[in-house]
Every structure is written in structure tokens, then in C-alpha cells.
Amino acid sequence: MAVGGTDRDYRKEYQRRKGVIDRMDSAVDNFNMQEAIEIEKDKIRRKYLDSAEEIVGGYNRESELSKDYEGRQMFELLQNADDEAAGSTGKVRVTFDGKKLSVSNTGSPFSFSGVKSLLYPNASPKRIHADKIGCKGLGFRSILTWAKSVTVASRDFTIQFSKNYAKEFLKDILDERPELGDEIKNLSPDEWPIATLTCPKVLSESALEEGYATSIIMECREELADTIEDQIVSLQFEELVFLPNLKEIEIVCNDYHRIFYKVVEGDEVIIETRNLVDDTTECASWRLYKKSGIIKDENGKDKTYEFIIAYDSSGEQQGEVLYSYFKTDVKLGFPALIHGTFELTSDRNSLQKQSQVNKQLVPLLAEFMVQTAVEISEEQKECDYKPLSLVITSDMDIVLKDVYKLDQLLRDEVREKNILPTIGNRYISINDAPKYTGILFADILSSEEFPELLKPAEDDFIAEYLTSDLGIEFYSYEEFCNRLNESVQDYSLE
């Protein structure tokens, strides 16, 4: 059926517009972004005119994806900003006044490929980097649960999405093919089941914030204002440690105004937090240990993985969950922040349980964690239990522990490594037959006669690990007395 003329007229006009896109690579300067967007809308319109299933299927996919990322909207917006910030000053500015939320970033402007990724789920340019574990590019849709309308402003265009635009788009289709109405009703109980992000309106006036390459602006639902504000102000931005491109994030939210700066010097990273309301500054620093490599996925394709351990020797910064750039809900209690590019569930909060990629990555993570503990033991001046504490978890996700056996893998790796501190101020391994007692006289014994005796642990959790998990015992009474008698001249009652 024709749309606004005969089929022949439509095909002629469509081919004229299609030529604009075909010439894009060779004549970027002549590329008309607004015209290209209209072409994509025409393509979607034709597809929808042919199939009620396409209309309702797109709506269902968008609704499911929006719900999957509930609670992670700010993470996804910042992830998008980080993706585009490569090679720039890496700045992001977030403002929220209770009605309008704006996120602006420097770097590459929002591209035509980016627009298409909004129009077509699973068509994100991130999928060009499909060799990187975790690249999906679907999280942007999560903000639909917050917004009445979403505006995307770049240097070359400003487009806006809203349920009202989508409704009008569907009305036009039903005016053209009224019989689709009954088919749609049979497929969905909703009155207007059409995906919001398939129907952009091109605005003539730019909404781009000055000094930035892209602005995402949302007119928010009033009843969600407190939810949105809570999510914004709860951000602590230790995540900046793992984001490769962002260096500065400013947040202005009612009476909350802070700027987070990241400074990288070699393997050291410093996060400075300036509170502009009370004019205070806080700093946190970490030493970064990194590992990357390539594994095969279930289809035999190469996948690049990355691990980063951010360690704070002062002990002030403790990790409670696994990071995949941002926090997940995967419990991982260690005295360090641990990032890994694992395959996560669609909501980016949990590990996929039957992932061939994860089955390969977890043993590699265990090996890397213990290697890092050894490296820390070699770097620090004190001989203590800090390196060992890096591989002892206070809390571990049940999937990591029971499905992927991380706890057991760590114990197996520890047995081979010199990270157990002796009273002689050197590190030994389980293979050296260490001895342990929590009785405080241990530190006055001769390290020459008791070279495998470990230092008393001040932390009960570590002491329990040594005796229960590693099965380390004290000398037998006979052996202890014999050794003590051999060095009795070294002791004095004075």
C-alpha cells in the first residue's frame, strides 16, 4: 500500500533519500543528518505498515529492556558518556532540578550510528567491538522508565522521543492501514503498543549544552523525582577508577553540588571529591593491578577480557561487590575493588550462571588475585597479613562460590604462593609446612628455631582462615619442647 502517493512515487523518493546515506562515507561534509534520520523513520514506517507483529514486537522488546536496567539508569548514562569521551577532556555534567535531568559529555558527538542504535535494538555501534566481553549497548533504554520525553542533542542535530510522538506515529500508520488495529489488539492489551525510541522528532532548535559534544535531556515524571535524586546523590564514583575515559564528573542536584576528579599517575589513581556546598575536599587513592587477554567464547570466537584490582594499602577503601566498570549486585567482600569484564545478566547486576566465558574467567581471576597478593608482599616494607587478606573474602556471591568455585580456586592458588608471614619477617607457602597459634608468646620465639611459625593474626577472620580453611596447626608438644630446649640459651626471664 502506498504512503502519501503511489508505490512508484514512494520508491522513487525513498531511493533518492537512500542515496544520501550511501554517499555518507565518501562525502561526510555533504551528509544531511536530519534527512538521514527521516529516511530511517520512513524505513520503520514501511516495516510497520507490513506487520502488526513488528509493531508489537518492537514495543515488547523496548519494555523488557527498560525494566531490565531498572535502578541502573545513571550508570548507563555515565557508561554512554564514557564510551564517547575517548580522546577528550573526559568531562561529564549532570544536572537535575526535580523536573529535568540533563547529562552532557565531551568527546565524540552523538553519531548517526548512535541514532540508529536507538531506533533499532541490538544495533548499537558497541557491537562493532563484539570481541569485548559485555558490550551490548542496550542500557540507554532504561531511562524510558523515568522520562516523559528524551532529547538527544549533538553538534549536527537535536532529536526528541516521547510516548506522544510514538502514539501519533502509530495513528498515522493505522489511518493508512486501519485493519492493523484489530491485529494489534489481538497481540497486546495495551492501547498504544509502539516503541517510543522508533519515532524521533527532529527539532530545529539545538538543545546542546555549551562546551559539550552531546547532551541527553529528560523531562522526568514528577512522581519519580525522589527516586531519581536518590540514585544521583548515592553515586560515590569509585567507579571512576575503572572507567577508561572519564576524568571529571560534575553533579548539580538541588542543594547537592560536587565535582569528582580522577588523576592517573602510572599505576596510581587518585579520586578527588570537591563539595561545593560546604567547600570541602576529600581524596582517595588506589594502586592499580591489571591483567587482560583473549579467550574463546562458546562459538569459538575470540573475546578480550580485562581484570583490574584497585588496592588501597591504608585499608580505608574496601570492596563489597564485583565491578563490571560499575557496581553489580554480585557480592565480593575483599579489601580491594575488583573489576572484571564478565558476562552478566540482562540487568547488568548478576553473573550469567551457564556462561562458557565466565567458566574460563573465574579461574583466571583467582590466579590474578593471588598473583597480585604476591606482588603486594614483594612491594610493601612490612611483612604482615595484608597480602593474604586480598584473597580471603568476607562475603561471596553464591554463584561465584557454588557454581564457579571461586572460593576453592583461591584456596588452591594460595597453597602454592609465598604470602604467609612468619615471625622471621619472610613469606612462605603452605608447601613449607607452616605452623600457627594465636597465643601471643609466638612473637618472642626464635625465628631461627621456628622458621615456619606464622605471626599471630590480629584479625579473627584471618586466624579462622589459617586454622580452618588452610588447616594449619601448631607444633606437637614434643616437637615444640625439643626446639625450645635447643634454643633455651636465647631466652631470659629478665
Side-chain angles (χ1 to χ4, degrees):
M1 181 173 290
V3 181
T6 67
D7 282 337
R8 182 177 180 182
D9 290 339
Y10 177 81
R11 286 195 298 271
K12 184 176 180 181
E13 174 63 13
Y14 177 81
Q15 290 301 324
R16 183 192 72 78
R17 292 187 174 187
K18 181 75 163 57
V20 175
I21 295 179
D22 293 339
R23 294 192 300 272
M24 181 172 60
D25 291 336
S26 59
V28 174
D29 291 341
N30 296 323
F31 179 66
N32 187 317
M33 179 68 77
Q34 294 189 8
E35 189 172 12
I37 292 171
E38 292 298 335
I39 289 173
E40 295 304 323
K41 286 177 63 176
D42 285 344
K43 289 166 62 176
I44 294 170
R45 178 184 175 84
R46 291 296 292 180
K47 180 174 67 173
Y48 282 2
L49 280 167
D50 288 338
S51 172
E53 287 78 10
E54 285 285 354
I55 297 172
V56 177
Y59 169 75
N60 290 338
R61 284 192 298 274
E62 182 177 87
S63 298
E64 290 167 5
L65 289 169
S66 298
K67 294 174 183 176
D68 280 345
Y69 289 81
E70 181 60 38
R72 297 184 61 86
Q73 287 91 338
M74 284 307 306
F75 285 162
E76 296 304 325
L77 287 167
L78 292 171
Q79 179 71 71
N80 287 332
D82 183 77
D83 292 338
E84 301 301 326
S88 74
T89 56
K91 292 178 61 177
V92 173
R93 189 168 191 267
V94 179
T95 63
F96 180 59
D97 61 8
K99 296 181 179 179
K100 184 176 75 174
L101 172 64
S102 175
V103 180
S104 299
N105 63 269
T106 60
S108 301
F110 206 86
S111 65
F112 181 58
S113 295
V115 173
K116 292 179 70 174
S117 76
L118 302 182
L119 303 182
Y120 307 104
N122 299 314
S124 168
K126 292 183 185 181
R127 289 187 173 266
I128 295 173
H129 306 290
D131 61 320
K132 295 183 179 180
I133 300 166
C135 288
K136 297 290 189 294
L138 300 173
F140 185 88
R141 285 165 172 75
S142 64
I143 65 176
L144 292 176
T145 60
W146 280 359
K148 295 179 181 178
S149 68
V150 179
T151 301
V152 180
S154 190
R155 293 169 185 165
D156 298 326
F157 67 93
T158 296
I159 56 176
Q160 190 172 79
F161 302 89
S162 75
K163 192 64 181 177
N164 288 335
Y165 294 156
K167 186 188 300 184
E168 292 303 318
F169 192 76
L170 181 54
K171 282 182 179 179
D172 289 343
I173 290 172
L174 294 177
D175 286 344
E176 191 70 35
R177 283 198 61 193
E179 63 271 25
L180 284 174
D182 290 336
E183 295 180 41
I184 290 172
K185 287 180 180 179
N186 290 331
L187 294 170
S188 174
D190 296 335
E191 185 177 6
W192 300 103
I194 182 169
T196 300
L197 294 184
T198 59
C199 319
K201 180 178 180 180
V202 180
L203 304 183
S204 57
E205 186 174 342
S206 176
L208 180 64
E209 185 170 355
E210 185 176 354
Y212 294 89
T214 301
S215 295
I216 310 295
I217 304 144
M218 284 146 281
E219 182 188 357
C220 298
R221 294 163 53 189
E222 289 89 345
E223 69 272 19
L224 295 179
D226 290 342
T227 299
I228 296 170
E229 181 171 345
D230 288 346
Q231 195 175 129
I232 293 171
V233 300
S234 67
L235 294 169
Q236 296 299 314
F237 287 106
E238 61 264 33
E239 292 91 349
L240 269 173
V241 172
F242 303 124
L243 293 174
N245 301 314
L246 292 184
K247 303 177 183 69
E248 178 183 327
I249 300 177
E250 180 178 10
I251 298 181
V252 183
C253 180
N254 296 322
D255 58 353
Y256 178 100
H257 189 183
R258 297 187 184 185
I259 303 178
F260 302 85
Y261 300 96
K262 178 172 71 174
V263 179
V264 180
E265 297 179 355
D267 293 327
E268 300 286 334
V269 60
I270 299 170
I271 305 297
E272 179 183 287
T273 303
R274 289 183 57 198
N275 187 331
L276 279 72
V277 175
D278 59 15
D279 195 26
T280 59
T281 301
E282 297 179 358
C283 287
S285 63
W286 293 266
R287 164 83 155 84
L288 300 185
Y289 300 84
K290 301 179 181 181
K291 179 179 181 178
S292 61
I294 297 175
I295 59 174
K296 298 287 186 181
D297 67 7
E298 61 273 12
N299 298 315
K301 294 182 179 179
D302 288 345
K303 290 286 185 180
T304 301
Y305 71 88
E306 175 187 64
F307 297 132
I308 301 176
I309 293 177
Y311 177 67
D312 171 19
S313 60
S314 72
E316 293 181 6
Q317 310 297 326
Q318 301 285 321
E320 297 178 351
V321 297
L322 176 70
Y323 289 73
S324 185
Y325 297 106
F326 293 100
K327 288 180 179 178
T328 69
D329 287 343
V330 179
K331 293 180 180 178
L332 197 60
F334 286 98
L337 308 182
I338 300 176
H339 154 76
T341 49
F342 289 91
E343 288 195 331
L344 303 176
T345 53
S346 59
D347 60 5
R348 305 289 295 162
N349 275 324
S350 305
L351 288 172
Q352 292 185 16
K353 293 183 181 180
Q354 302 300 324
S355 165
Q356 292 300 316
V357 167
N358 290 346
K359 287 180 181 179
Q360 297 174 73
L361 288 185
V362 173
L364 292 172
L365 175 61
E367 179 184 355
F368 176 54
M369 290 173 67
V370 177
Q371 287 175 346
T372 300
V374 172
E375 191 171 342
I376 290 172
S377 73
E378 295 171 347
E379 291 174 347
Q380 67 176 22
K381 296 179 181 179
E382 297 290 329
C383 181
D384 54 28
Y385 283 103
K386 285 184 178 179
L388 181 64
S389 68
L390 190 62
V391 296
I392 304 175
T393 176
S394 59
D395 195 10
M396 183 178 291
D397 184 81
I398 190 169
V399 174
L400 273 177
K401 185 175 183 178
D402 293 347
V403 176
Y404 294 116
K405 310 297 184 184
L406 177 59
D407 201 30
Q408 183 60 51
L409 289 167
L410 285 170
R411 284 197 295 271
D412 293 343
E413 288 287 337
V414 165
R415 303 188 76 86
E416 306 295 326
K417 298 297 188 290
N418 295 335
I419 56 173
L420 303 176
T422 68
I423 60 173
N425 289 317
R426 67 185 186 93
Y427 290 99
I428 62 174
S429 74
I430 290 292
N431 293 334
D432 296 313
K435 302 298 181 182
Y436 179 78
T437 179
I439 301 175
L440 295 181
F441 71 77
D443 59 359
I444 65 170
L445 296 176
S446 168
S447 60
E448 293 184 3
E449 293 299 329
F450 300 92
E452 60 283 284
L453 181 59
L454 303 183
K455 292 184 174 184
E458 296 179 1
D459 189 325
D460 292 340
F461 188 71
I462 292 178
E464 178 70 17
Y465 179 82
L466 294 172
T467 56
S468 298
D469 292 70
L470 298 184
I472 300 175
E473 299 177 344
F474 193 56
Y475 303 94
S476 67
Y477 178 76
E478 182 179 1
E479 182 182 3
F480 178 67
C481 289
N482 288 338
R483 291 199 186 197
L484 195 61
N485 288 333
E486 290 176 5
S487 58
V488 69
Q489 68 278 2
D490 295 332
Y491 303 99
S492 172
L493 295 178
E494 295 181 1

